[in-house]
Structures are given as structure tokens and as C-alpha cells.
Amino acid sequence: MRHHIATGEILYQSGSAGAAWRVLAGSIRLDRPTPEGDAAFASLAIRGDVIGAETMLFGVYSFTATALAPCTLMSWPAGEGAPVPASDLLQTLIVTECRAAEVIALRCGQAAERVRRLVMLLAAPGADGGGSARDTLQVTLPPRQDMADITALTLETVSRMVSGLRRSGVLKPLTETGSVSGNRFRLAGSIGESP
Amino acid sequence: MRHHIATGEILYQSGSAGAAWRVLAGSIRLDRPTPEGDAAFASLAIRGDVIGAETMLFGVYSFTATALAPCTLMSWPAGEGAPVPASDLLQTLIVTECRAAEVIALRCGQAAERVRRLVMLLAAPGADGGGSARDTLQVTLPPRQDMADITALTLETVSRMVSGLRRSGVLKPLTETGSVSGNRFRLAGSIGESP
DNA sequence: CGCATTTTTGATACACGTCAATCTCCGTGG
DNA sequence: CCACGGAGATTGACGTGTATCAAAAATGCG
């Protein structure tokens, strides 16, 4: 029932058959095929979001879903055969609209601000072993190319901005127990820092 | 049942009570209030789109809707009291997702391309008196500041690009019978022109 | 250890933002 | 009817933030 995928893995392809999912942890990028044949970034899904709901009408996915970080997923709705309540669909619709608005906002303003906002959006309350890691936020940053696609910047600019966030102390490298995972960070100052 | 609003008019305000609408003609911008107090562009609605569906769950609008051109609207769903079929909600959800993806795409690439794509998106089959105005596309361009907000460019850059489109013959000024409407254009070459 | 991939850093160019002046379009009142 | 004034649109000159090109460094993997 629960499903796990690693960074870079494709959860489903546009056009293939399948069902909807709820993202329990991690982040997912959705791409849609362009008339020119290649795929363009279309949206972002984070913890709590439902993706692939279009299959309930079409049977096939409209977008391609790729993991931006290790993800935990669950098929949606929970009760397999049962019809989906209208309120659940509405809820999904609203969250989707808001997520879209946030992604659109990620493409406004200067590069440093945009990358910072993306990092904040991806951050989740620290889910480390302890249990009650209260107000510490953590992020697993996606590959730079993906961050660039999302923010409409280039890979190089994103890299520079991430370096800046590290230097300014907003991002502190985090080492998993045992191995060193290069893209995991702890966030200083949870919400609304200096610009 | 049918409702008309003019360019610049506000259809509804974020936070106020009301119901959902279907856009029959024209285009609408949706803005969401930011933490800083002001409003930021959130999404775009064009012919066929349903907006304000969140009121079915919350009772109040999450976004502020402003007309970008003279609009014709209709309350949604058509049958007032009746419960909305799940398939209609799904349909709305899917269209919303696609629209969001298109808006996100409007913020990729160079300025000229972006403005051209926005114009194409807003264009509708010529609805002039004739009846069967077959493959002629027409647009009523929004104020330049709104086009700038949508494409994440500046008012001045948008103005330059629109001028470029006029000079290159893509946009041909259109005069209404009698009065001259400054922002109405006819499109040369309906779909997929040279970049 | 050696190779492929990703990330980082640097130098340079250009597309777009910024500031400012002018123009056009309307409505208003003399 | 024309002068006046305001709002939006257009155009120009200039500076800068980011893209681009290129190379080195770090990371992961067999």
C-alpha cells in the first residue's frame, strides 16, 4: 500500500495507465509533454498533495511524475473501490490551485529570493529519529537542474544561490547516521527571514 | 444568469462570500493575498474555465478575480441547488491543472516568445457578427501591466514585444464597428508560427 | 582506484530591468 | 469646439542580474 521511490526515479509516465497517489513524504515534479516532443516542467507536488487524479476520468496520466527526493507515497483514495466523496475532490482541487500559485510565485523576483523560497517550500519538520524534533526544519534538495527547471533559472545560477544560502548560514549540511548524504540540510530560522 | 464585466473590474474579492463561475468569454486574472499584504498574480482563467470552486468547500473565495478584458460569465454549476457530479469536479480539476501548467510555461524562455505565447493563449476564434468566421483568431489584449504580471516581465518590455508583434505582422489592429478599440487585434497564422 | 556524473566556481556577454521623456487616447470643463 | 489634464502606452538610453561558455572540483559507482 505504501510505496517508496528514490531521487530521479519516475513514478509514472504521461499517457500510461494507473491510479492517483498521495505524497506522504518527499517531493515530486510533474512534467507535461510539449508539442515539440520534449517535456516541460508543469508543477510541483509536496507532502500532502494528491497527484494523478486525472486518471479517475481518463484512465491515463496527463503528466510524468519524477521524484526530486526520496519519496513515500500512498494510493489515493485510501478505500480502493469506493467512490470518492465530492468534498475530497474539492479539497484536492483547492490544494492543487494553491500549489500552482506557489510555483508561479517561485518564478518572480530575483534569483536569490526564488531559490530561498523553493527551499522553504520543500522544507519539512525534521523527521529524524528522535520523535519530537519540534521546530527544526529539514530539506533534501533536488538535483540543481531540477531546481533550475522549477525556478526558471539556470543550473549554474541555482548552484551559486545555494552556495550563498550555505555561506549565510541559512542551510547547514546534515549528515545521516553513518553515510554522508550530500543534499540534506537543516534550516536555520524556520519562517520569514531577512530578504 | 449571464453576467458581464468590463476590463479592470473585480468579479470577486478574496475572502468575500459567493459562488463559482464559468468563464464564457474574455479572460480573468486571479490574485492571492501575500503575507506582505499586497496581492500577487496567482493564475489565469480563459474561456471555458471554472473559477471560485473553492467556495463550495469554504464559502468564501481564496483568490481575487479581475477582468483582463470584457467578460461573459455564468454561475456554476448550471443547476443551482443540485449537488455537483464528481465527474464535473474532476473535469474542473484537470482543466485547472493544465491551465496552471500553461501559465508556468509563460514564464519560461525569452521575452518575445513569452508574450507571443500569452497572446496565443488569450486568442479566441473570431466572434464577430458574421457567425461562421472560421479560422480567424482575435484577441483583446489586457493592460500591459497585467500582461507583465502574468509573464513575469516589466510593463515596458511587454510593450516593446507587443510592438514587435505588430511590426512583424502577427498582430493586426482591429476596429470595432463605429468606435476604435485600441486593444483589439486579429491574429495572422492561427497555430504554431515561426519562433 | 579510475571513470562518469553532478556540482561548483570563474570570466564574459547580452537580455531585460530601470529611469525618464514623449505620445496617444479620453473625459471634462471652459 | 478646443484647451487642459490624467492614465496608459510607447520609445530611448543606460546599468545590472543572470545566461552562457568553460574549466575545475566534488561526489558517486563499478
Side-chain angles (χ1 to χ4, degrees), chain B residues 41-63:
Chain B
F41 172 75
S43 191
L44 186 66
I46 62 176
R47 203 165 49 104
D49 292 359
V50 170
I51 57 175
E54 67 271 15
T55 56
M56 303 177 72
L57 196 61
F58 296 149
V60 297
Y61 296 107
S62 328
F63 301 95

Side-chain angles (χ1 to χ4, degrees), chain B:
Chain B
M1 199 171 192
R2 262 181 162 79
H3 196 233
H4 291 269
I5 56 176
T7 305
E9 266 191 83
I10 292 175
L11 175 61
Y12 55 75
Q13 289 264 7
S14 143
S16 66
W21 298 92
R22 181 186 290 281
V23 180
L24 297 181
S27 52
I28 300 245
R29 69 175 283 179
L30 300 174
D31 293 81
R32 62 164 194 165
T34 60
E36 292 84 43
D38 50 356
F41 172 75
S43 191
L44 186 66
I46 62 176
R47 203 165 49 104
D49 292 359
V50 170
I51 57 175
E54 67 271 15
T55 56
M56 303 177 72
L57 196 61
F58 296 149
V60 297
Y61 296 107
S62 328
F63 301 95
T64 296
T66 314
L68 296 174
C71 286
T72 311
L73 301 139
M74 203 170 171
S75 61
W76 188 85
E80 291 282 327
V84 192
S87 65
D88 284 8
L89 280 178
L90 265 175
Q91 178 75 30
T92 301
L93 173 62
I94 293 164
V95 172
T96 300
E97 279 179 344
C98 287
R99 189 71 58 237
E102 273 166 331
V103 172
I104 287 167
L106 286 178
R107 292 166 166 236
C108 282
Q110 307 227 125
E113 254 296 300
R114 285 197 246 173
V115 173
R116 202 185 61 83
R117 284 199 302 255
L118 172 59
V119 170
M120 300 307 267
L121 192 62
L122 295 176
D128 39 17
S132 69
R134 288 162 308 180
D135 51 349
T136 66
L137 286 180
Q138 299 188 358
V139 224
T140 303
L141 289 188
R144 300 294 172 270
Q145 182 60 60
D146 291 308
M147 295 180 70
D149 293 341
I150 296 169
T151 55
L153 296 167
T154 59
L155 178 164
E156 294 94 333
T157 300
V158 170
S159 178
R160 277 182 251 268
M161 299 305 141
V162 171
S163 299
L165 289 176
R166 254 201 324 254
R167 262 193 295 278
S168 67
V170 177
L171 285 178
K172 288 182 196 305
L174 208 60
T175 54
E176 301 287 295
T177 49
S179 69
V180 207
S181 69
N183 273 335
R184 193 133 183 85
F185 294 92
R186 192 163 63 79
L187 277 183
S190 30
I191 314 155
E193 273 337 71
S194 62

